[in-house]
Amino acid sequence: MSGGAAPGNVMIAAAIAHAFSLFVAISVSSNISGGHVNPAVTFGCFLGGHITLCRSVLYWIAQLLGSVVALSLLKFATSGSDTSSYALKAGATPWNAIIFEIVMTFGLVYTVYATTIDPKRGNMESIAPIVIGFLVGANVLSGGGCFYGAEMNPAMAFGQALDSWTWKSHWIYWLGPFVGAAIAALVYDTIFIGSHEQLSTEVVEKERDEEEADSSSLDKLLKEIDEFESEEEVANCGLGEEECLECKAPEDEEDNNDRVYVPEKFKSIAVENMEILGLNSCLLEGVDFPTRILNLFWPLFGPDLRLG
């Protein structure tokens, strides 16, 4: 846009066109390139470590070429309509425009991070294209378009500057968006995503400690079972194997060869470990205690201990 404010109805139309065209562009390219249609957004993602430098350069080249091709098609379709370069309004200084561009691009890249990059974005990614499009439309409508073009996308400025061969204020529309993108990326990545990662690390460490405690208790249980099954324990019980009621299985049950009798001294150990394993005794009602315990733990010891 050349200097001077555009009429209100023109600005509303421009804002709506920006919003919906960007919404469509991001939607159709999100599964291919992540919706990178803006060099400033790509730069912000690169600074946050979410894209490599090589890929960033390839995206920048594609974005600039896309701007040139799109402008050429527009001129051809409109029989050579005016596509003058972005320019400052009368009386404005370059630093006025740079501040505008920094603020508007900061909001754009911050929104991109919040809706597409943040690990805790949840379902926000599904509405990211329309949110980003509406933000750009709001920036165009809120004043940037009237004063300095509300460019926020260096590729757009490049296409128009190349077509009109007007480079007088072109640097503004690279410096402002890149600075705004850098600030947004560093702020969001350091303050918000960094805190998410620290919290995730603490949660993982806590869960690992709990798993180690559970594993230790389970090892103790398995050790007690090994001791109970050892021949030395049977030999030291004081009675013969044929007479010991705690060491032999009941004879009035079917499939005696597949059942293992649990002595009274083992019951207390099993009950203690039921809480550790998160088991609820009400789930085991209606079954004799030895059968309940062995049926719960048989997968840990192998199919040979499964009760019928």
Side-chain angles (χ1 to χ4, degrees):
M1 278 185 191
S2 57
N9 58 340
V10 174
M11 290 311 307
I12 293 175
I16 295 174
H18 273 77
F20 284 100
S21 61
L22 184 58
F23 162 52
V24 173
I26 295 175
S27 297
V28 300
S29 63
S30 60
N31 294 331
I32 301 172
S33 66
H36 284 262
V37 295
N38 186 333
V41 173
T42 301
F43 180 66
C45 294
F46 163 70
L47 285 184
H50 306 287
I51 186 174
T52 64
L53 177 61
C54 180
R55 187 177 292 268
S56 299
V57 172
L58 292 176
Y59 282 172
W60 288 332
I61 294 173
Q63 289 155 358
L64 296 179
L65 289 176
S67 175
V68 173
V69 171
L71 194 62
S72 300
L73 290 174
L74 176 63
K75 291 195 70 171
F76 177 78
T78 58
S79 301
S81 62
D82 180 33
T83 56
S84 58
S85 177
Y86 284 89
L88 304 179
K89 74 167 187 175
T93 66
W95 292 108
N96 297 141
I98 288 173
I99 296 300
F100 259 89
E101 292 294 335
I102 290 174
V103 172
M104 289 186 294
T105 311
F106 174 90
L108 171 60
V109 176
Y110 186 96
T111 303
V112 170
Y113 262 80
T115 56
T116 64
I117 297 177
D118 192 333
K120 298 186 72 175
R121 61 187 177 274
N123 295 326
M124 286 293 292
E125 191 171 12
S126 61
I127 63 171
I130 193 67
V131 171
I132 296 169
F134 281 173
L135 176 71
V136 171
N139 283 341
V140 172
L141 193 60
S142 64
C146 294
F147 300 117
Y148 311 106
E151 183 258 342
M152 293 170 284
N153 188 335
M156 293 173 58
F158 176 79
Q160 291 180 307
L162 183 66
D163 178 71
S164 62
W165 207 254
T166 303
W167 305 94
K168 181 179 180 181
S169 302
H170 183 67
W171 64 275
I172 295 173
Y173 300 103
W174 282 86
L175 178 62
F178 269 60
V179 172
I183 296 173
L186 295 177
V187 167
Y188 202 101
D189 203 72
T190 303
I191 297 178
F192 298 105
I193 295 181
S195 63
H196 297 340
E197 293 176 352
Q198 181 178 2
L199 180 60
S200 299
T201 302
E202 293 175 354
V203 171
V204 169
E205 291 178 352
K206 182 178 179 181
E207 291 178 350
R208 185 170 60 247
D209 293 341
E210 292 176 352
E211 289 175 358
E212 290 176 355
D214 293 348
S215 176
S216 176
S217 300
L218 188 57
D219 290 342
K220 180 181 177 182
L221 174 63
L222 296 175
K223 184 178 179 181
E224 291 291 339
I225 293 174
D226 291 339
E227 292 176 356
F228 165 69
E229 292 178 344
S230 65
E231 293 180 3
E232 182 179 358
E233 185 174 359
V234 174
N236 294 333
C237 66
L239 296 173
E241 186 174 354
E242 299 295 328
E243 300 176 356
C244 181
L245 296 179
E246 288 189 0
C247 297
K248 70 177 182 176
E251 296 182 356
D252 57 347
E253 296 284 347
E254 296 182 0
D255 302 327
N256 288 336
N257 292 333
D258 295 332
R259 294 182 175 272
V260 178
Y261 183 71
V262 181
E264 292 293 331
K265 66 177 183 177
F266 179 64
K267 291 181 181 180
S268 60
I269 300 173
V271 170
E272 290 176 3
N273 284 276
M274 284 171 67
E275 279 190 17
I276 296 173
L277 297 175
L279 301 175
N280 193 326
S281 60
C282 68
L283 300 175
L284 309 175
E285 293 179 358
V287 183
D288 61 284
F289 188 86
T291 303
R292 281 184 274 167
I293 299 302
L294 268 299
N295 276 337
L296 286 171
F297 296 141
W298 79 265
L300 301 175
F301 316 136
D304 293 340
L305 292 180
R306 185 177 184 179
L307 301 185

